[in-house]
Amino acid sequence: MGKKELKFNSKAIHGGQQPDAAYGAVMPPIYQTSTYAQSTPGGHKGYEYSRGANPTRTALENALASLENGHFGMAFGSGMAAIDAVMKLLSPGDEVICTSDLYGGSYRLFKKVYEKYGIKFRFSEMVDMQELVSQINENTRLVWVETPTNPMMNIIDIEAVAKITKSHKLLLGVDNTFATPYLQRPLDLGADIIMHSATKYLAGHSDVVVGALVVKQQELADQLYFIQKSSGGICGPMDSYLTLRGIKTLHVRMQRHCENGESIAKYLENHSKIDKVYWPGFEHHLNHEVAKKQMTGFGGMISFVPKGGSYESAIKIVENLQIFTLAESLGGVESLVGHPASMSHGSIPKEEREKNGVVDALIRLSVGIEDVEDLIADLEQALN
Ligand SMILES: *Cc1c(COP(=O)(O)O)cnc(C)c1O
């Protein structure tokens, strides 16, 4: 049976992988080398210099492509380096339409770096597709979608957006960091480019900063490989190895993230001291039907607002948590908590962030894979 026909859990372990050619090592060795011996000029075994390609990175890139049902994977030194490579497909005068509730680092790269080079960014909630269409003009090249969004857990209908980008001959890029291919596969829904901060769920152990792109089309892959090699924002062999190691348990970790996420979302929803809980698994979630259609589970990311909460009371709660570690980032095996108003979204003016629902009292959880009873007990003592 060819590996293409494997189901997801098997692909997480075997997809795109072969025992190493030299000694049959089951895990690819960490090829900690910059260069490769040539027998005669140009006489090499497929590798010349590690900016262009490295066998450990190739193993990761093949695994990424397999998981997302793509044909080509690229691994970068960070999620931002991966998005940066996508931006380099564009030329001055080109326009991008992106999700309005965007990851802060992406917003900064777009507005503070790429606007200077003559690229224009428009923002859309992408709930009303007519509104999205109304922003398209002859300069539009790319639509950039994040779903679920951070920290409000809004859901955008990838298939509906893909219909529009296809009919207008635009590229559609999806930041699939929050969902992972375990829960959502955007290429199957019509996207052209998938991006990951593999730092989060894919690597899953909070020990690397890595980015990824996956595409299906040869021409697009050629352009992106050329940019990757030319700009050089590559993932090193050690980090490639660690990310590949993480991916091999993605499906078991995600299953537990989803189970724990559901228990905690429901616990918070029924808590007398909680006002609002944002989690796409609730039937009353604004885009629950879309989430149900395009995702196979609802993940472990949850945001909530305590009743009558303030900036100070939210900080008190996050400081009182013992098992949930107060830290930036998400998607690791350990549970983390963040206070968006003072951390990830601190640089966005209060009025601006509150328009998107990021109020002072909002708290965001990345639910880990510990025993959920311990996590709930921790929340209970902190809320009291
Ligand atoms: C973390 C993150 C990024 C940036 O990735 P890095 O690996 O930190 O560079 C981009 N998008 C989302 C949704 C993220 O959570």
Side-chain angles (χ1 to χ4, degrees):
M1 179 164 153
K3 286 190 177 169
K4 269 206 183 83
E5 300 149 62
L6 293 178
K7 291 169 71 176
F8 187 86
N9 297 349
S10 309
K11 280 210 282 194
I13 296 164
H14 299 289
Q17 303 302 298
Q18 269 144 19
D20 187 63
Y23 297 108
V26 167
M27 274 304 278
I30 301 160
Y31 280 98
Q32 198 70 53
T33 187
S34 61
T35 192
Y36 306 81
Q38 305 191 6
S39 54
T40 179
H44 55 76
K45 298 174 177 171
Y47 294 90
E48 289 174 273
Y49 184 65
S50 283
R51 177 160 23 78
N54 170 287
T56 319
R57 197 172 92 221
T58 303
L60 169 62
E61 291 174 334
N62 290 341
L64 291 164
S66 162
L67 280 182
E68 289 284 11
N69 292 343
H71 298 319
F72 308 95
M74 289 140 233
F76 292 84
S78 70
M80 293 321 302
I83 303 179
D84 184 76
V86 175
M87 290 302 125
K88 285 175 176 150
L89 293 168
L90 307 176
S91 304
D94 286 348
E95 295 195 7
V96 181
I97 307 173
C98 18
T99 313
S100 44
D101 188 14
L102 198 67
Y103 174 72
S106 307
Y107 182 85
R108 182 175 57 199
L109 178 73
F110 295 169
K111 297 293 284 184
K112 300 271 159 82
V113 179
Y114 276 98
E115 219 159 64
K116 240 178 24 198
Y117 294 102
I119 294 165
K120 185 166 174 186
F121 296 89
R122 296 173 180 271
F123 294 88
S124 164
E125 288 189 348
M126 301 192 194
V127 175
D128 172 3
M129 292 300 136
Q130 278 315 311
E131 183 272 340
L132 174 62
V133 169
S134 76
Q135 297 220 44
I136 296 173
N137 62 38
E138 72 275 12
N139 296 323
T140 313
R141 281 268 332 263
L142 171 71
V143 173
W144 190 255
V145 169
E146 224 177 89
T147 181
T149 66
N150 175 32
M152 299 314 297
M153 312 302 153
N154 292 326
I155 303 290
I156 289 156
D157 188 337
I158 297 171
E159 213 169 6
V161 175
K163 267 200 198 118
I164 292 168
T165 53
K166 283 223 164 30
S167 70
H168 289 81
K169 298 195 164 55
L170 310 176
L171 284 174
L172 171 58
V174 176
D175 181 336
N176 206 26
T177 301
F178 269 42
T180 83
Y182 180 79
L183 298 178
Q184 165 177 293
R185 290 189 281 282
L187 289 178
D188 293 350
L189 300 170
D192 302 290
I193 304 171
I194 292 178
M195 172 265 157
H196 277 281
S197 170
T199 313
K200 318 291 168 55
Y201 286 107
L202 289 186
H205 295 72
S206 307
D207 51 6
V208 288
V209 175
V210 169
L213 296 178
V214 179
V215 303
K216 248 181 173 160
Q217 307 150 42
Q218 177 81 55
E219 195 190 334
L220 192 53
D222 290 344
Q223 288 173 335
L224 288 167
Y225 280 126
F226 181 78
I227 291 166
Q228 186 192 34
K229 181 171 80 174
S230 304
S231 289
I234 51 156
C235 179
M238 183 71 196
D239 288 354
S240 295
Y241 169 84
L242 285 168
T243 305
L244 189 61
R245 184 188 224 263
I247 282 174
K248 292 192 183 249
T249 55
L250 177 68
H251 51 301
V252 254
R253 286 185 286 109
M254 287 310 293
Q255 189 184 349
R256 184 63 68 84
H257 283 298
C258 289
E259 287 166 13
N260 285 0
E262 178 169 357
S263 299
I264 289 181
K266 288 180 174 164
Y267 156 78
L268 290 169
E269 179 79 354
N270 291 318
H271 201 290
S272 60
K273 291 190 173 168
I274 303 295
D275 185 19
K276 287 202 176 91
V277 186
Y278 300 97
W279 180 68
F282 289 130
E283 267 173 40
H284 62 71
H285 182 283
L286 195 61
N287 313 110
H288 177 66
E289 287 308 316
V290 180
K292 242 174 39 185
K293 183 182 73 168
Q294 75 185 12
M295 301 171 78
T296 53
F298 305 110
M301 296 301 300
I302 301 167
S303 294
F304 67 97
V305 181
K307 263 189 197 139
S310 63
Y311 194 89
E312 291 72 25
S313 70
I315 287 184
K316 190 121 193 251
I317 291 169
V318 300
E319 285 176 352
N320 282 342
L321 285 162
Q322 305 286 315
I323 301 176
F324 283 87
T325 304
L326 178 60
E328 300 281 7
S329 201
L330 60 112
V333 289
E334 65 288 296
S335 293
L336 299 181
V337 60
H339 178 234
S342 66
M343 295 166 71
S344 54
H345 292 61
S347 60
I348 305 172
K350 185 173 154 88
E351 274 171 31
E352 194 74 12
R353 64 175 156 78
E354 291 201 337
K355 255 192 269 168
N356 285 332
V358 187
V359 295
D360 282 350
L362 187 82
I363 293 171
R364 191 193 76 178
L365 303 177
S366 169
V367 177
I369 62 172
E370 300 94 336
D371 284 303
V372 74
E373 296 80 4
D374 290 333
L375 298 177
I376 288 175
D378 193 26
L379 285 164
E380 186 66 20
Q381 64 80 22
L383 288 168
N384 288 325

